[in-house]
Amino acid sequence: WRWVFLVNVPFVLLAAPLGLRWLPESRRPGAPPLDLPGVALSTLALTGIVFALIEGVDAGWTTPAVLCAAAAGIAGGVAFFAVELRRAQPLFDVRVLVRPRVAAGALAILASYIATLGMLFLLPQYVQYVQHDSALASGFEVAPFGLGLGALAATSGPLLARYGPRVILLAGLLTASAGFVPLLLLSGDSSPVLVVLGSGIVGCGGGLTYPPATAVIMNDLGTKKAGDGAAVNQLARQVGGALGVAIVGSVFAAIYAALITDEGDVPAAAKESIEAATDVASRLHGAARVDLLDDAVTSFDVAARWGLAVCMAAVLLSAASAAIGLSGVTPAKR
């Protein structure tokens, strides 16, 4: 399966020479040198925190590796803010994060990416292991997410001009949260329509969310702070994507392990994932095999819906934040 990541290579090999040939060079006059301490500290912070979140469930929250990673990540984050506040030319001006509109827009992007990556982590496994469909079927059932995202993002411009970013952003976040309702109704014998419907609605909500969230951040900071505005957007996306898998995956894994353990004497490997439980069951016979598979599927079913509930909660919290932080934002005058 690792070969799938090579899908990027031919596109890069094509895009790089074409970019060198056709894209104009763009440099800001008097651009400062790269803030290497900021780069190092931000990398340390994100790596440590994400590693601790992911490994804490499997290895245990009190293991030395997890505790050291968490401590290094938190220390790196604190040091990053301390260093950036003192530098004349910081990698990222962290002061912009205290601006209400910037914070609301960034939180909307962050929460949307947490929910999206969490959903895309859980749904394909659910379709394959709980509903016993193929990998191809899971791909088709989740595809409406991308279609809805592209369609609504492409049409959001006129809506923004007419209703303003606050209304469209709230509509996007509430639409995305509504998409998790059919997903929370999933069961082993439910119709594929629930996955198609839920993923499509979440995608439509994302398409309505990202353009106004980006516009709010960039408009509030202006052209002089355009670089910091772009950094906020990208930071929210990348951190949200990493935390989506880490947080939602950790919640799911903890509940799955707890539930399958409650079912009786379960091999340790089966507690790690439903795939591992399936592998263990394939080496068993008779009632032991059937019981382990049933326990794994039941545990996964419940844990996955808890994970999807976390995704929904993240979007709803960001909607509340956007309603407060953007209370004074009105449509642009034409």
Side-chain angles (χ1 to χ4, degrees), residues 190-229:
S190 61
S191 170
V193 172
L194 286 179
V195 177
V196 171
L197 181 64
S199 63
I201 295 175
V202 173
C204 290
L208 287 174
T209 297
Y210 300 136
T214 301
V216 163
I217 294 171
M218 300 304 293
N219 290 341
D220 192 62
L221 292 177
T223 54
K224 291 184 178 180
K225 287 283 188 179
D228 290 313

Side-chain angles (χ1 to χ4, degrees), residues 31-314:
L34 183 62
D35 176 16
L36 292 178
V39 171
L41 290 172
S42 62
T43 302
L44 173 64
L46 292 176
T47 302
I49 292 172
V50 172
F51 178 88
L53 286 172
I54 293 175
E55 290 298 312
V57 174
D58 293 333
W61 296 104
T62 58
T63 57
V66 172
L67 291 176
C68 288
I74 295 172
V78 172
F80 174 77
F81 274 82
V83 168
E84 297 302 283
L85 286 171
R86 289 175 172 80
R87 291 184 71 87
Q89 299 290 345
L91 175 74
F92 172 56
D93 185 0
V94 295
R95 297 177 183 86
V96 303
L97 294 176
V98 300
R99 300 170 71 112
R101 296 179 184 179
V102 174
L107 184 58
I109 296 174
L110 179 77
S112 296
Y113 268 74
I114 288 175
T116 296
L117 271 294
M119 179 192 75
L120 294 178
F121 170 74
L122 292 173
L123 281 186
Q125 296 183 75
Y126 194 98
V127 172
Q128 293 177 67
Y129 289 109
V130 177
Q131 299 184 330
H132 305 294
D133 283 331
S134 66
L136 181 62
S138 71
F140 277 117
E141 291 180 33
V142 177
F145 167 79
L147 298 176
L149 179 67
L152 269 295
T155 60
S156 63
L159 296 175
L160 273 171
R162 181 172 182 178
Y163 298 105
R166 182 174 184 264
V167 172
I168 303 305
L169 180 57
L170 287 174
L173 292 170
L174 293 176
T175 299
S177 64
F180 286 98
V181 174
L183 298 180
L184 291 174
L185 300 176
L186 286 172
S187 64
D189 56 356
S190 61
S191 170
V193 172
L194 286 179
V195 177
V196 171
L197 181 64
S199 63
I201 295 175
V202 173
C204 290
L208 287 174
T209 297
Y210 300 136
T214 301
V216 163
I217 294 171
M218 300 304 293
N219 290 341
D220 192 62
L221 292 177
T223 54
K224 291 184 178 180
K225 287 283 188 179
D228 290 313
V232 171
N233 276 284
Q234 190 65 7
L235 182 67
R237 284 170 168 80
Q238 298 299 328
V239 173
L243 292 182
V245 177
I247 294 175
V248 176
S250 295
V251 170
F252 156 77
I255 295 175
Y256 169 80
L259 290 175
I260 197 171
T261 300
D262 289 341
E263 298 296 336
D265 187 15
V266 177
K271 302 174 187 178
E272 296 179 2
S273 68
I274 192 170
E275 183 178 5
T278 303
D279 291 339
V280 172
S282 67
R283 297 190 291 273
L284 301 176
H285 302 282
R289 177 179 182 178
V290 174
D291 290 344
L292 179 56
L293 286 175
D294 287 344
D295 293 343
V297 169
T298 301
S299 301
F300 187 98
D301 182 21
V302 176
R305 280 186 275 125
W306 272 104
L308 292 169
V310 171
C311 297
M312 183 179 183

